Amino acid sequence: MAFLLQLTAFGQVTTNMVHIRGGSYIPLYGRDSSMVEVDDFLMDKLPVTNRQYVDFVKQYPEWQRSKVKGLFADQMYLRNWKNDTLLEDTEHLKSPITYVSWFAASKYCECQGKRLPTVDEWEYVAMADEELADARVKKTYNEKILSWYEAPKTSTYEVGRNPENFWGVKDLHGLVWEWTSDFNSILITGESRKDVDKDSSLFCGSAAVGATDLMNYAAFMRYAFRGSITARYSIKNLGFRCVQDVPVE
């Protein structure tokens, strides 16, 4: 189903990547949605961790909390850190990095020769469970994801706690929301663009109007969430992972 690839960054072996075999799928959004083609790509098996991000800001100090430009991150950026290079005592190095903006996440991936996944790449992999590449036909699929979304403080858990899905990827659900490169590409209402920082204001139910399958409420919530944030936002339950194009032989 997948193979693992070890990459090196910051002088250390990073998270394994898995090969995602491309294909077609019908996304949630759009009144006249048609099949979307997804090419082969590599995806990080796990979300980026606090430990990895600490290494990143040490090597690229312009992304440290006291030095990052306001254009690229709001005042919530790395708010759960003690200082520029140390986490608060309550945080864990093996937990997923959160409180990072889209700009910061994009730069992290770029510095490793990677990139953020597109919405379609992320959703294509995320529709798998442990057995099927597309598990959306299962009633239990959405129920399980929604139960994860309702669980408190999942961003404090260590990465790798959930089973591998069909592709060999872990923690796409049940840990943190994740940035995508084109997170704001879906049509939304003007109401959800208000420049506010409270997490409670980031959900706009109308953001996924026109969905092809409104029974897939878990995906509906993701599109609504993406449609209500901006690239500067740094949120307590929003992290990321990287992908990479398959090398041309």
Side-chain angles (χ1 to χ4, degrees):
M1 297 179 188
F3 65 81
L4 300 182
L5 177 69
Q6 295 281 353
L7 296 181
T8 300
F10 315 131
Q12 298 178 344
V13 175
T14 67
T15 304
N16 290 332
M17 301 191 84
V18 296
H19 182 266
I20 308 300
R21 186 176 63 253
S24 302
Y25 88 112
I26 299 178
L28 176 76
Y29 58 84
R31 290 183 176 87
D32 298 314
S33 289
S34 57
M35 298 293 287
V36 170
E37 296 290 334
V38 176
D39 295 330
D40 285 28
F41 64 99
L42 306 173
M43 174 177 269
D44 283 353
K45 184 175 181 178
L46 299 170
V48 174
T49 64
N50 284 325
R51 182 189 300 276
Q52 290 171 308
Y53 204 79
V54 167
D55 291 341
F56 168 69
V57 298
K58 286 180 178 178
Q59 184 166 351
Y60 300 94
E62 65 270 27
W63 290 97
Q64 292 176 4
R65 187 174 65 180
S66 68
K67 299 180 179 68
V68 69
K69 294 181 180 179
L71 179 66
F72 300 136
D74 64 12
Q75 68 272 21
M76 301 289 282
Y77 180 69
L78 301 182
R79 67 166 298 181
N80 57 337
W81 289 37
K82 187 177 299 184
N83 55 40
D84 281 345
T85 57
L86 287 176
L87 303 172
E88 290 286 359
D89 295 337
T90 54
E91 306 301 315
H92 305 287
L93 289 172
K94 293 183 179 179
S95 295
I97 182 66
T98 58
Y99 289 113
V100 287
S101 67
W102 177 89
F103 292 106
S106 296
K107 191 64 179 180
Y108 176 96
C109 294
E110 179 186 331
C111 289
Q112 296 193 80
K114 304 181 187 180
R115 59 178 173 81
L116 288 173
T118 65
V119 168
D120 285 325
E121 287 172 337
W122 198 97
E123 291 290 332
Y124 178 77
V125 180
M127 67 185 185
D129 66 1
E130 295 96 313
E131 300 172 345
L132 298 177
D134 186 356
R136 293 177 298 178
V137 296
K138 292 184 178 180
K139 179 181 178 181
T140 54
Y141 168 80
N142 283 324
E143 291 176 346
K144 188 174 183 180
I145 295 173
L146 289 171
S147 69
W148 281 334
Y149 287 171
E150 294 170 357
K153 298 182 179 180
T154 55
S155 61
T156 64
Y157 299 154
E158 292 186 359
V159 301
R161 69 188 306 267
N162 296 306
E164 292 182 357
N165 72 3
F166 175 87
W167 301 106
V169 176
K170 290 187 174 185
D171 300 329
L172 284 172
H173 306 293
L175 211 59
V176 292
W177 305 86
E178 295 186 6
W179 282 112
T180 59
S181 60
D182 53 346
F183 69 94
N184 56 359
S185 61
I186 308 305
L187 292 177
I188 57 175
T189 66
E191 179 184 63
S192 64
R193 295 192 183 101
K194 293 179 182 178
D195 188 17
V196 289
D197 290 329
K198 292 182 179 179
D199 290 357
S200 60
S201 69
L202 299 179
F203 295 88
C204 174
S206 59
V209 169
T212 56
D213 180 9
L214 294 182
M215 293 302 292
N216 190 349
Y217 191 65
F220 186 99
M221 289 179 66
R222 292 195 295 275
Y223 282 100
F225 177 77
R226 294 176 184 130
S228 50
I229 59 180
T230 72
R232 291 180 63 249
Y233 282 4
S234 305
I235 304 169
K236 66 181 178 181
N237 59 348
L238 178 58
F240 69 98
R241 75 181 69 212
C242 307
V243 302
Q244 191 176 57
D245 296 331
V246 175
V248 178
E249 296 182 357

